[in-house]
Amino acid sequence: MDIALQINGTTEHLDVSPGVTLLDALRERLGITGPKKGCDRGQCGACTVHIGGRTALSCLTLAATVRQPITTVEGLSTHDQLHPVQRAFADQDALQCGFCTPGQIMSAVAATAQGIDDPDEVREFMSGNLCRCSAYPNIVAAVRSAGSEERRTDATV
Amino acid sequence: MRPFELTVPATVDEAVAGGHTFLAGGTTLVDLMKLDVVAPQRVADITALPFHGISTEDGLRIGALERMSDVAAHPGVPAAVTRALLLSASQQLRNMATIGGNLMQRTRCGYFRDITMPCNKRRPGSGCAALEGNNRMHAVLGTSRHCVATHASDLAVALVALDAELRITGPDGGRTVPLTDFYRTPGERPDIENDLGSGDLVTEIVIPYPELAANSTYVKIRDRQSYEFALCSVAAALDVRDGVVAEARIAAGGVGTIPWRLPGVEAALRGEPATEAAFTAAAEIATHGTTPLAHNGFKVPLLKRTLVRALLELTGGDER
Ligand SMILES: Cc1cc2nc3c(=O)[nH]c(=O)nc-3n(C[C@H](O)[C@H](O)[C@H](O)COP(=O)(O)OP(=O)(O)OC[C@H]3O[C@@H](n4cnc5c(N)ncnc54)[C@H](O)[C@@H]3O)c2cc1C
Ligand code: SF4
Ligand code: FES
Ligand code: FES
C-alpha cells in the first residue's frame, strides 16, 4: 500500500505491505535508525517514538495506520543545538552502551513536558524503558535535571 | 507475520459487515500476529470510527476507542478505574491502547503465546501445557481441566466491580451487556472467551451509577513495582455509614479465568462494622471454591490479604 508519513518535519512516501511496523519502515526503509529494535514485542521501550506528540512503541504500530506526525530522536535537536533532555543525558552520564538511550530520551522528553520531577514518579513514568546496562540512577537524574532546566528557561522568557 | 489485507472502514456498517478482525491500538493484536498466535486474513483499523468521548451525563460513558491514558486523566472517572489504568502496562502502551481493546486483550499464558506448545485456547483439542507446566501465574478460580489461564486486564476488574455495561453493535444491530455477563469461563471451550460474535464491535462502556464508585480503589500486587501484570488485584467500592458497611462492590484480578466478582464477600460485608476484623472474616469467603495448581497456591492467602488491604484503604485504616 502507498502511504505518506510525516517524520521529523518531512513527508515521506512509501510503498509498504500492511504488516510492516513503523519501526521497520523507519529503520529499514528510511534509514532512521535512532529507534532501536530491542524486543520487537512491546516490552522494552527501545523503539519509543512520538506520534502526534505522545510516546508510542513503533514496534507494535503498523506503519500504514499512522496518520499523525512522528518525531524520532533524530528530530529533537535543532541544527547543532541538542535538546535539553539530550544535553542532560550526556551531562549526567545516563547511558553506558547507549542502545536504550534513544527510547529513554523520547520518554524523558514526555516526562519533562508533563513536569514530572518526584524521583518515584520519574521511575514509574520511565518503567516502560528497560536498560540492560542498568543506568537507571543516572537516567532518573537526567530526567530531573532536564526538567528543572526547562522550568528555569520557561521562567526567564 | 502472515500476509493480510488492511482496510480503514469509514462507517460502522462497513466495519461490522466484512468479517474483519478489528485493530484498535494494536498492542495485543500486532504482538500476537507477529507470534503467529493469530493470523487474520482481513484486518480493519477501526480507529477512524466515532467511538470517542467521555461523558458524565446519564451515568459515566466512555467511547471504546478512548486511550487508556486519556481515560485515566479524566476527572469524572472513579478512582478504582483510574488506578487500574495507571497501574497497567507502561505510559507508552497506555497512550496507544484503547479501553475497548483492553477489555478484549488475550491471556498472557506463555503457552498460549508459544505456537510450538499445546494450548486448547489457541488450538482447541491440543491440550493444556499449563496444567502440568509452569502455572505460577495461572488462575485459582473458574478453571477447568481444559484451561487455567487468567484474564489479564486490570481495567476489566475495576469495571466488573462497578457494574459496568458494554454497548455492542454488530451485523444484527445493537445491544447492551453487563460486563459481569460478558466474559465466559473456559469450561470445555477455552477458545470462546466472551459474548462477542463475528462482526460485533464494542462501542461504549457505561458505568450506570458512578456515585457508588465515589469511594473506590484498586490494589494490584505484582512481582515488581511497575510494568507487570497482577499476581492478584482487588477493585473495591464501599459505602460506609456511621461505621457500618451499607453497600460494597468487590472484584478480584490475577486469580480468575475471568475478572472475578465476589458477591459472597459483598453480602458478608453489608451491615457489618467497617473494621479489620469484619473485613478479614468476609475475605475468607473469597477463597471458597479456589482450586490451586502446583505452583500458584500462594494466590489463595494473597487474595485474602489484598482484599483486606483494599478495604482498609477505603476506610482510612491502611496505615497500621
Ligand atoms: C508489555 C505489555 C504489558 C502490559 N501490561 C498490562 C497490564 O499491566 N495490565 C493490563 O490490563 N494490560 C496490560 N497490557 C495489555 C494492554 O493493556 C492491551 O494490549 C491493550 O489494552 C489492548 O488494547 P488495544 O487498543 O491495543 O487493542 P488491540 O491490540 O488493537 O486489540 C485487542 C483485541 O481486541 C479486539 N478489539 C479491539 N477493539 C475492539 C472493539 N472496540 N470491539 C471489538 N473488538 C475489539 C481486537 O480485534 C483484538 O482481538 C500489556 C501489554 C503489553 C504489550
Ligand atoms: S492455560 Fe489455557 S491458555 Fe494456557 S496453555 Fe492451557 S489452554 Fe492454553
Ligand atoms: S522494540 Fe519495541 S518495545 Fe522493545
Ligand atoms: S545503556 Fe545499555 S541498555 Fe541502557
Side-chain angles (χ1 to χ4, degrees):
Chain A
M1 354 180 20
D2 289 320
I3 62 168
L5 296 175
Q6 292 161 261
I7 305 168
N8 300 329
T10 309
T11 302
E12 303 278 1
H13 294 272
L14 283 180
D15 180 14
V16 295
S17 61
V20 170
T21 61
L22 177 60
L23 178 62
D24 283 341
L26 291 170
R27 291 183 58 85
E28 310 296 333
R29 300 290 299 280
L30 298 168
I32 298 173
T33 55
K36 297 285 181 278
K37 187 180 282 193
C39 63
D40 210 22
R41 293 281 177 275
Q43 298 178 357
C44 74
C47 66
T48 303
V49 299
H50 291 191
I51 302 177
R54 294 158 48 127
T55 56
L57 302 175
S58 57
C59 73
L60 289 187
T61 304
L62 298 180
T65 64
V66 180
R67 295 188 276 271
Q68 291 178 296
I70 301 154
T71 308
T72 70
V73 73
E74 285 89 345
L76 290 180
S77 58
T78 38
H79 308 297
D80 292 343
Q81 275 287 300
L82 288 182
H83 186 282
V85 172
Q86 291 175 305
R87 183 80 265 149
F89 267 67
D91 290 346
Q92 300 291 328
D93 223 358
L95 57 143
Q96 289 177 40
C97 78
F99 188 82
C100 71
T101 310
Q104 300 279 2
I105 287 177
M106 296 315 286
S107 287
V109 169
T112 58
Q114 293 178 31
I116 293 170
D117 181 55
D118 175 77
D120 283 341
E121 287 176 25
V122 171
R123 275 190 283 273
E124 170 58 37
F125 191 91
M126 298 296 292
S127 70
N129 291 86
L130 307 188
C131 175
R132 258 312 246 120
C133 306
S134 216
Y136 297 113
N138 294 8
I139 292 170
V140 174
V143 174
R144 299 187 69 207
S145 92
S148 61
E149 181 61 32
E150 283 176 18
R151 282 187 289 278
R152 216 174 3 259
T153 320
D154 284 350
T156 51
V157 287
Chain B
M1 200 184 299
R2 311 285 170 84
F4 62 94
E5 183 194 317
L6 179 69
T7 53
V8 188
T11 65
V12 177
D13 286 346
E14 243 178 88
V16 300
H20 293 108
T21 295
F22 300 125
L23 174 71
T27 61
T28 288
L29 188 65
V30 174
D31 187 23
L32 294 180
M33 286 170 69
K34 286 182 176 189
L35 294 166
D36 281 341
V37 170
V38 296
Q41 286 174 354
R42 299 163 55 126
V43 174
D45 172 2
I46 57 171
T47 55
L49 296 177
F51 313 139
H52 293 279
I54 303 176
S55 145
T56 51
E57 278 164 45
D58 194 13
L60 175 65
R61 298 154 175 279
I62 313 175
L65 288 170
E66 285 292 320
R67 310 281 165 168
M68 290 170 73
S69 49
D70 293 325
V71 177
H74 193 281
V77 171
V81 173
T82 303
R83 288 195 190 160
L85 288 169
L86 291 179
L87 294 171
S88 295
S90 63
Q91 45 90 17
Q92 297 101 309
L93 285 158
R94 295 193 295 270
N95 283 340
M96 303 168 72
T98 64
I99 56 163
N102 184 292
L103 298 180
M104 297 292 295
Q105 68 176 281
R106 308 299 301 275
T107 182
R108 306 302 290 195
C109 171
Y111 304 112
F112 171 75
R113 293 168 57 82
D114 178 350
I115 56 163
T116 65
M117 301 301 290
C119 169
N120 289 324
K121 194 186 270 302
R122 178 170 31 76
R123 195 147 46 86
S126 62
C128 170
L131 283 178
E132 303 297 326
N134 185 344
N135 48 37
R136 178 172 174 272
M137 294 299 289
H138 288 71
V140 293
L141 286 161
T143 57
S144 75
R145 63 195 172 81
H146 303 285
C147 180
V148 293
T150 54
H151 193 275
S153 165
D154 291 295
L155 172 67
V157 177
L159 290 178
V160 159
L162 301 181
D163 295 317
E165 299 169 348
L166 299 185
R167 293 275 143 81
I168 294 167
T169 190
D172 306 325
R175 64 188 199 275
T176 300
V177 180
L179 199 57
T180 42
D181 297 343
F182 180 71
Y183 293 111
R184 308 258 178 98
T185 53
E188 306 261 315
R189 290 295 303 273
D191 55 315
I192 302 174
E193 299 183 339
N194 56 53
D195 195 45
L196 278 200
S198 170
D200 278 349
L201 268 174
V202 178
T203 63
E204 191 176 55
I205 292 151
V206 183
I207 300 179
Y209 316 107
E211 49 282 6
L212 250 181
N215 186 33
S216 70
T217 193
Y218 186 76
V219 174
K220 179 174 179 180
I221 309 295
R222 42 192 168 171
D223 279 328
R224 53 183 177 192
Q225 220 174 7
S226 181
Y227 196 27
E228 185 54 275
F229 289 92
L231 291 169
C232 179
S233 69
V234 167
L238 268 192
D239 180 4
V240 179
R241 307 205 174 161
D242 302 325
V244 174
V245 177
E247 206 41 84
R249 293 283 187 280
I250 297 169
V255 288
T257 51
I258 60 173
W260 205 262
R261 182 80 180 251
L262 289 161
V265 178
E266 294 170 6
L269 285 168
R270 260 176 231 126
E272 291 295 313
T275 61
E276 183 168 353
F279 295 162
T280 308
E284 191 63 39
I285 294 167
T287 67
H288 290 178
T290 49
T291 50
L293 304 159
H295 305 294
N296 69 358
F298 72 96
K299 287 193 175 185
V300 177
L302 189 60
L303 170 57
K304 274 192 283 190
R305 292 190 197 128
T306 312
L307 220 168
V308 173
R309 195 205 281 186
L311 295 173
L312 287 174
E313 203 177 279
L314 289 176
T315 48
D318 55 332
E319 275 138 297
R320 276 173 290 161

